[in-house]
Amino acid sequence: MYSSISDYDLQLLISNDRNQSAFQELYNRYWDKIFASCNNRLQDVEAAEDIVQDIFISLWQHPNLPQIQNLSAYLFQATKFSVIKYLNRISRYDSINPLEFGVLDRLDQMDLNEALNYKEMHYILMQGVEQLPPQTKLIFRYSRIDHLNSKEIAEKLEISPRTVENQISKALKVLRKILRNTQNFIIFLF
């Protein structure tokens, strides 16, 4: 019944009449595409399903649904932001193994002062990583913690390898500045 109606007309029916059949039609049109996009980025079926469900709930509750000019673009943009938000949220709960940072795997071979300095620097660096913009932080973690190369990260996030390299460079520049400032502060203290 609604399959021949445009997205915009369905949006009007949903907004004006809370028409569930019109909403079901939009859901059927876009669910598979949105789910595929989300799952490609996350590689987690359950998380992707939850995110897609949230996107459609948000669409149903959208106060200005008729003002959305291009529903397809809107849904894919919502998916992108929801995935980034989800990855940000779960990254806060992921524990980082300090032994994966190269220098820190030799803590048992260092004297106490060296070990404390490295642990303090590691803490300062991790604080710096947390201050990075969400996408830069995600790319940096994929690169330095998950040990993915630029091409793998680009495929995972559906961006260009050049963008990945630029984001890593940006993150390293910020972290170097933090370390320089920390070293200058320590020298000033002594």
Side-chain angles (χ1 to χ4, degrees):
M1 176 174 163
Y2 291 103
S3 60
S4 62
I5 297 177
S6 72
D7 287 351
Y8 183 74
D9 288 336
L10 292 172
Q11 290 168 238
L12 287 174
L13 287 170
I14 295 166
S15 181
N16 296 337
D17 304 331
R18 305 311 291 162
N19 187 314
Q20 291 181 1
S21 297
F23 181 77
Q24 186 64 44
E25 177 60 31
L26 282 179
Y27 184 87
N28 292 340
R29 283 183 192 179
Y30 289 104
W31 191 92
D32 289 339
K33 296 171 189 171
I34 299 299
F35 172 77
S37 174
C38 192
N39 193 43
N40 280 344
R41 291 181 171 126
L42 295 177
Q43 299 297 311
D44 182 342
V45 172
E46 288 179 20
E49 288 174 344
D50 288 345
I51 288 171
V52 173
Q53 192 69 20
D54 289 344
I55 289 168
F56 278 101
I57 288 170
S58 176
L59 184 67
W60 174 257
Q61 297 172 341
H62 197 291
N64 300 313
L65 191 56
Q67 292 179 3
I68 299 172
Q69 298 297 317
N70 183 340
L71 185 65
S72 177
Y74 173 85
L75 290 171
F76 282 102
Q77 195 72 353
T79 302
K80 177 182 171 183
F81 288 125
S82 295
V83 167
I84 290 170
K85 186 173 158 185
Y86 171 80
L87 290 172
N88 254 349
R89 190 172 63 243
I90 65 168
S91 72
R92 290 184 185 143
Y93 301 108
D94 287 346
S95 61
I96 298 170
N97 181 357
L99 299 180
E100 293 179 1
F101 281 91
V103 174
L104 297 176
D105 61 354
R106 298 187 308 259
L107 285 177
D108 57 339
Q109 301 167 358
M110 298 177 188
D111 69 23
L112 183 59
N113 283 337
E114 283 180 314
L116 289 173
N117 285 339
Y118 277 115
K119 283 186 178 181
E120 182 64 26
M121 286 297 178
H122 176 260
Y123 175 77
I124 291 168
L125 281 175
M126 288 299 95
Q127 292 297 102
V129 169
E130 289 303 314
Q131 300 306 313
L132 295 171
Q135 175 122 358
T136 306
K137 178 170 54 173
L138 179 63
I139 290 170
F140 184 80
R141 286 178 178 272
Y142 281 151
S143 171
R144 296 305 195 257
I145 296 170
D146 296 342
H147 305 291
L148 299 178
N149 64 37
S150 295
K151 184 178 178 190
E152 292 168 326
I153 297 168
E155 289 172 3
K156 192 170 192 134
L157 298 177
E158 296 179 356
I159 57 177
S160 75
R162 185 72 182 142
T163 301
V164 170
E165 292 164 9
N166 288 339
Q167 293 295 313
I168 291 171
S169 176
K170 180 179 171 182
L172 290 173
K173 184 185 253 185
V174 168
L175 295 174
R176 282 187 197 106
K177 184 176 180 180
I178 289 170
L179 280 178
R180 263 195 310 276
N181 291 343
T182 302
Q183 289 171 339
N184 291 340
F185 180 72
I186 290 170
I187 289 169
F188 176 76
L189 287 177
F190 296 98

